[in-house]
Amino acid sequence: MGLKGKTQDFNIMRGEGEDAKLESFSIELDEGMVVLDCVHRIQHEQQPDLAVRWNCKAGKCGSCSAEINGRPRLMCMTRMSDVVEETPEGQAIEIRPMKAFPHVKDLVTDVSWNYDVAQRIKPINGPETMDWEFNQMEADRVQQFRECIECFLCVNTCHVLRDHALFDDFAGPRNLVRLAQYEMHPLDTEDRIPEIKKEFGVEYCNITRCCTEVCPAGIQITDDAIIQLKERVVDRYYDPLQRIWRTITRQNVRY
Amino acid sequence: MEYTVRHLLKEGDRVTGCVAYTRVDGDFHAFSAKSVILATGGITRCWSVCSGSWEYTGDGHALALWAGAELRDMEFVQFHPTGMVWPPSVRGILVTEGVRGEGGRLTNSEGDRFMFNYVPEMFAGDHAETIEESDQWVEEVVSGKLATVRRPPELLTRDVVAKAINSEVKAGRGSPHGGAFLDISHRGEEAILKKLPSMHHQFKELAGVDISKEPMEVGPTAHYVMGGVRVNAETQESNVPGLFACGEVASGLHGANRLGGNSLSDLITFGKRAGEHAAKRAEDLAQPGIEDTQVQSAIEIMLAPLNREGGENPGLIYDEMRDMMQAKVGIIRTKEEMTEAMADLLAFNKRQEACFPGSSRKYNSGWHQALDLKNMVDVSTAATLAALTREESRGGHTRDDFPGEIEAWGKILNIIYMEDGEIKIRQEDVEPMREDLSEAITEVKTMIAERAAEQAGGGN
Ligand SMILES: Cc1cc2nc3c(=O)[nH]c(=O)nc-3n(C[C@H](O)[C@H](O)[C@H](O)COP(=O)(O)OP(=O)(O)OC[C@H]3O[C@@H](n4cnc5c(N)ncnc54)[C@H](O)[C@@H]3O)c2cc1C
Ligand code: SF4
Ligand code: SF4
Ligand code: FES
């Protein structure tokens, strides 16, 4: 159990772009350390210019995402006791930056694509007067989406982006969560279904649930956000009864 | 994105812009501005046990000082009573006041609810005197009723609770890792998961403690600085024309001790004012030019660490300096220790001037830290100098050698400024409060007293 005094080897990605490669470091561990502590110890004792993004060290800001022994995780919430246990005796713990995003240096990547997509999403359009009401159940439904810390581990994991690089055609799980949050908001009057289908490409998702598995905020990304959006798209575009009803009631729908 | 401002540009007296670097690629950018608003937050990273993120290095406090602005109240640093204490890597991370608001009980190693013994005279009679009364308060409040009894002593002001925990630990009644026990488990798993989900998660993931079943270990952590840039309360402008400040980097609003929750209302109110007045000032001004020599000299200073041949790792200096501030200018202060701290800070300043973070400009965390060290030295010096000067205990400032408030000091402000590159201090009288405001406060106080009297009469 005890980590104190144990010497541990790490292989950490160092460098930029093509030249980046794994480099070996070794440090002495202390009780209760998380992976980010180890990176800081290497930084403070050996390699001051080791690049790593972090901020809160409490799993709340989403800036310390990395791939630890191949698994996308937050460095600040990954306890060394667990990582040491999962790493075969005598092997180094491997820390790499998120693979799906452009590499900046060492453990830092450029995640700005996510913000660009977010900018293209229509904001909530709520009522102007304050006399609205909705029931608690409706509020609870969108509450979990607000837990998102924008770590982008889900985006990094999704094969549509990681393996197929469809960054121009697919909004990625994080922004689908955002779209679900807005679409399901009880007071919102905006219609985003057309773009959810087209430019945000919800249909590229084939429900593998890999994103949900890595989400440190425990958001049911696939089941509660993406599938809900998919259903709305199906209702709008493929359900003939809905279609006729809409023509009759002359709802203003932009295709 | 990720621009860090390192220098304020000036023309004569007034501020005309700033110079920044980008963290990602180390590029330099100069901005011309008719008004500049500092909103850089606090300084608590200067202490090794703190609740703030790495950004809390007092950049705005230092930028203002260097640009000729005055700081005030720098001795008043708030130590929040409940930070995590174990394991070492999470020491300082905040445990929200909400835990005590929801009925969390503080006990020592002997199982005593020790806060009952620490009610200061000025709050005597305001808090519950028995465990039963405390429990009743919690029961009423969590079920959404108006409380008919007095609140638990766990909810005394932060300085009182922090010092109480400190005293218990010193008296040998601390928890195994040098804190106190905070227990909320009596509220039951369901309520805890609903009301305190992030605390439940935080302890479970980082400390392996299930707070719905066992107590937490907590202890004081540097949390907030009441001191900062001295601003005009109406406009948020400093004594340097065109330089505004708001939020934690500004000062005056919270006096010697901020009450929980008041920072966010401060930000909303005075952030808006700062914006409005900065914009108003900008309306009548022409866009200032950017003076190249100032920009070049700022860039030279920023590049200096990278151009050294070798030197100490800035991370090491950073760690040692924070430990020093924790030990010598912490929650309980003495003249001896703070005099030593002033000397230590001079030595740290020398060391930071010779540190070497490697020579790359691209996302070089060590370089960023090397630059932060300069602010941290200056801001720590400002805080220490003010604390050394104030020979009394008040709010967030506690002197072991001068316990208790001294009335005369209550009317005096410590003003920190820079002259010929040196950090200096002088005293000024506290400005009297605007009449309408002091009337409003009296009114509210009377109202509260009346309501309390009514409840005492009508209830039990
Ligand atoms: C864990 C924790 C919990 C808290 N909880 C509460 C609470 O419940 N209620 C309450 O009222 N208060 C709370 N506080 C206090 C309150 O959150 C802070 O005082 C407040 O957020 C400060 O706001 P600010 O806008 O002044 O600065 P910050 O929110 O700290 O923002 C400062 C910004 O400036 C940037 N910056 C700093 N230096 C530079 C530079 N040189 N160049 C460019 N950018 C720079 C930083 O990156 C940061 O984004 C809490 C504080 C902490 C640490
Ligand atoms: S469920 Fe969809 S979004 Fe999530 S990883 Fe799989 S394909 Fe990507
Ligand atoms: S949805 Fe989850 S995994 Fe994705 S960015 Fe948000 S918190 Fe991270
Ligand atoms: S540092 Fe904030 S989530 Fe890890």
Side-chain angles (χ1 to χ4, degrees):
Chain A
M1 253 285 300
L3 292 180
K4 195 166 173 61
K6 180 180 162 60
T7 303
Q8 177 66 48
D9 297 332
F10 290 86
N11 287 336
I12 298 182
M13 187 69 101
R14 283 284 267 157
E16 300 165 25
E18 300 272 285
D19 298 332
K21 56 180 190 311
L22 289 174
E23 278 182 27
S24 304
F25 303 97
S26 176
I27 56 160
E28 207 171 278
L29 300 183
D30 266 323
E31 223 51 77
M33 274 179 131
V34 292
V35 172
L36 185 61
D37 293 318
C38 298
V39 174
H40 281 156
R41 180 159 287 182
I42 292 167
Q43 206 182 46
H44 286 202
E45 290 174 1
Q46 303 173 31
Q47 301 271 315
D49 61 352
L50 173 62
V52 56
R53 244 196 214 107
W54 68 285
N55 190 312
C56 66
K57 218 167 158 290
K60 295 192 171 74
C61 73
S63 52
C64 65
S65 305
E67 300 184 4
I68 304 159
N69 283 344
R71 257 179 62 201
R73 294 181 256 191
L74 295 177
M75 285 186 274
C76 73
M77 293 304 280
T78 305
R79 286 159 73 178
M80 281 304 293
S81 51
D82 296 337
V83 184
V84 166
E85 204 175 286
E86 78 187 21
T87 311
E89 187 64 39
Q91 244 181 50
I93 292 167
E94 191 180 284
I95 314 178
R96 292 171 179 270
M98 287 194 285
K99 179 178 164 231
F101 299 110
H103 190 212
V104 173
K105 192 186 136 193
D106 305 343
L107 297 174
V108 174
T109 55
D110 176 2
V111 295
S112 56
W113 171 79
N114 297 285
Y115 307 131
D116 296 340
V117 174
Q119 292 246 310
R120 303 207 310 265
I121 295 176
K122 287 188 209 133
I124 297 231
N125 195 358
E128 285 186 2
T129 50
M130 293 284 279
D131 54 355
W132 43 262
E133 260 182 41
F134 53 80
N135 69 39
Q136 188 58 40
M137 251 168 52
E138 290 176 297
D140 289 344
R141 226 158 42 118
V142 290
Q143 187 57 33
Q144 65 160 319
F145 304 141
R146 304 183 59 166
E147 303 282 319
C148 172
I149 58 171
E150 302 226 293
C151 63
F152 307 122
L153 286 171
C154 55
V155 178
N156 179 54
T157 309
C158 175
H159 67 101
V160 180
L161 301 161
R162 189 182 175 99
D163 301 330
H164 304 288
L166 291 172
F167 288 93
D168 292 335
D169 309 307
F170 182 54
R174 191 290 170 252
N175 274 310
L176 290 173
V177 167
R178 187 194 300 277
L179 282 159
Q181 181 187 337
Y182 293 0
E183 277 297 300
M184 288 156 75
H185 194 290
L187 299 176
D188 178 60
T189 55
E190 196 62 75
D191 175 21
R192 303 177 191 80
I193 299 298
E195 52 263 40
I196 288 172
K197 176 173 163 57
K198 291 211 182 82
E199 64 170 303
F200 297 137
V202 74
E203 285 156 319
Y204 280 107
C205 164
N206 57 344
I207 323 189
T208 58
R209 293 196 173 82
C210 310
C211 52
T212 307
E213 216 166 280
V214 298
C215 177
I219 300 170
Q220 292 302 310
I221 305 174
T222 321
D223 288 18
D224 292 354
I226 300 180
I227 291 180
Q228 298 296 323
L229 292 178
K230 279 175 176 281
E231 278 176 1
R232 284 169 195 229
V233 168
V234 170
D235 279 354
R236 172 80 56 89
Y237 290 91
Y238 306 107
D239 183 337
L241 279 178
Q242 285 270 356
R243 220 168 181 155
I244 292 163
W245 174 248
R246 238 178 255 120
T247 324
I248 297 167
T249 58
R250 296 218 193 140
Q251 268 186 23
N252 182 11
V253 178
R254 288 159 286 146
Y255 284 98
Chain B
M1 264 183 40
E2 295 182 301
Y3 286 81
T4 304
V5 175
R6 288 299 311 168
H7 180 81
L8 295 175
L9 294 168
K10 284 185 78 178
E11 190 184 285
D13 275 352
R14 68 177 181 134
V15 162
T16 52
C18 64
V19 184
Y21 70 85
T22 56
R23 299 179 79 82
V24 168
D25 45 25
D27 281 348
F28 298 118
H29 299 259
F31 299 87
S32 143
K34 301 174 190 175
S35 321
V36 171
I37 306 176
L38 296 172
T40 50
I43 69 166
T44 47
R45 272 269 142 192
C46 297
W47 287 266
S48 57
V49 181
C50 77
S51 67
S53 73
W54 59 262
E55 296 157 309
Y56 277 60
T57 45
D59 294 27
H61 290 74
L63 287 168
L65 198 58
W66 300 337
E70 293 168 348
L71 309 181
R72 55 170 276 191
D73 300 340
M74 290 300 290
E75 62 273 43
F76 298 116
V77 176
Q78 179 170 78
F79 289 80
H80 195 291
T82 60
M84 293 176 82
V85 297
W86 184 259
S89 83
V90 300
R91 190 163 190 129
I93 293 181
L94 195 72
V95 178
T96 163
E97 214 131 46
V99 175
R100 279 169 293 137
E102 289 292 322
R105 299 164 179 166
L106 279 170
T107 53
N108 60 19
S109 61
E110 291 164 9
D112 283 342
R113 286 274 293 268
F114 58 85
M115 280 314 299
F116 287 104
N117 311 330
Y118 287 94
V119 183
E121 212 163 286
M122 81 185 262
F123 297 117
D126 292 352
H127 290 76
E129 277 161 34
T130 61
I131 291 181
E132 292 70 33
E133 189 177 358
S134 284
D135 289 352
Q136 190 182 336
W137 183 91
V138 173
E139 212 169 284
E140 289 173 351
V141 168
V142 300
S143 59
K145 289 187 207 135
L146 210 63
T148 62
V149 293
R150 295 167 297 179
R151 47 180 23 209
E154 271 88 354
L155 292 172
L156 276 156
T157 54
R158 288 177 178 172
D159 60 313
V160 175
V161 183
K163 280 183 263 178
I165 296 176
N166 204 54
S167 306
E168 288 298 308
V169 174
K170 276 204 171 146
R173 296 188 293 266
S175 64
H177 302 105
F181 293 110
L182 176 61
D183 194 1
I184 187 75
S185 60
H186 55 277
R187 289 289 314 279
E189 189 168 347
E190 198 188 323
I192 290 168
L193 283 176
K194 184 148 183 262
K195 290 299 207 38
L196 300 162
S198 74
M199 282 302 114
H200 185 264
H201 183 248
Q202 183 172 310
F203 271 89
K204 190 135 204 172
E205 295 296 323
L206 294 175
V209 167
D210 181 350
I211 67 167
S212 70
K213 300 198 170 59
E214 49 192 325
M216 305 157 237
E217 270 187 79
V218 296
T221 177
H223 182 58
Y224 185 89
V225 61
M226 274 65 77
V229 181
R230 185 189 202 189
V231 291
N232 175 311
E234 303 301 321
T235 64
Q236 298 292 115
E237 192 168 7
S238 69
N239 59 309
V240 175
L243 183 63
F244 297 75
C246 59
E248 196 167 338
V249 65
S251 66
L253 187 66
H254 305 290
N257 199 5
R258 176 177 71 89
L259 295 177
N262 277 4
S263 170
L264 303 189
S265 34
D266 166 4
L267 304 183
I268 293 167
T269 315
F270 292 94
K272 178 169 185 283
R273 282 196 179 188
E276 284 169 353
H277 285 278
K280 199 162 147 223
R281 176 188 153 86
E283 262 172 21
D284 310 323
L285 289 176
Q287 193 68 40
I290 292 179
E291 200 199 317
D292 200 44
T293 50
Q294 280 188 56
V295 176
Q296 288 313 324
S297 106
I299 290 178
E300 231 167 80
I301 293 172
M302 285 190 268
L303 285 177
L306 302 178
N307 293 335
R308 289 176 198 135
E309 304 274 292
E312 226 181 332
N313 185 332
L316 220 59
I317 306 175
Y318 178 87
D319 291 344
E320 283 180 28
M321 187 158 80
R322 298 177 67 216
D323 284 341
M324 185 285 287
M325 285 298 286
Q326 186 75 31
K328 298 182 180 170
V329 198
I331 180 165
I332 310 280
R333 301 157 172 187
T334 65
K335 182 174 177 180
E336 287 66 39
E337 285 176 345
M338 286 191 288
T339 312
E340 275 175 39
M342 289 298 284
D344 292 350
L345 285 166
L346 285 178
F348 280 118
N349 195 31
K350 283 249 146 48
R351 281 170 68 184
Q352 68 86 17
E353 280 171 357
C355 72
F356 179 59
S359 42
S360 160
R361 273 162 70 173
K362 192 152 182 181
Y363 216 117
N364 180 344
S365 307
W367 179 39
H368 308 156
Q369 199 161 51
L371 296 175
D372 286 345
L373 282 176
K374 179 62 185 156
N375 322 333
M376 293 171 74
V377 166
D378 283 1
V379 167
S380 300
T381 305
T384 310
L385 185 57
L388 191 57
T389 308
R390 183 171 289 271
E391 297 190 327
E392 66 155 351
S393 297
R394 177 183 298 276
H397 168 68
T398 304
R399 290 283 300 255
D400 207 27
D401 42 1
F402 295 96
E405 287 180 5
I406 292 171
E407 209 184 326
W409 266 111
K411 300 188 174 69
I412 295 172
L413 292 178
N414 280 329
I415 309 285
I416 300 278
Y417 61 102
M418 201 153 201
E419 200 173 66
D420 307 324
E422 208 180 308
I423 295 171
K424 297 192 170 160
I425 189 163
R426 69 162 192 276
Q427 265 115 37
E428 269 184 37
D429 289 343
V430 174
E431 300 155 44
M433 192 181 288
R434 237 173 54 193
E435 211 163 288
D436 52 336
L437 289 180
S438 85
E439 272 166 26
I441 288 176
T442 319
E443 219 170 278
V444 173
K445 277 190 172 160
T446 324
M447 208 172 75
I448 293 173
E450 277 170 11
R451 213 180 71 181
E454 243 168 61
Q455 283 194 353
N460 35 17

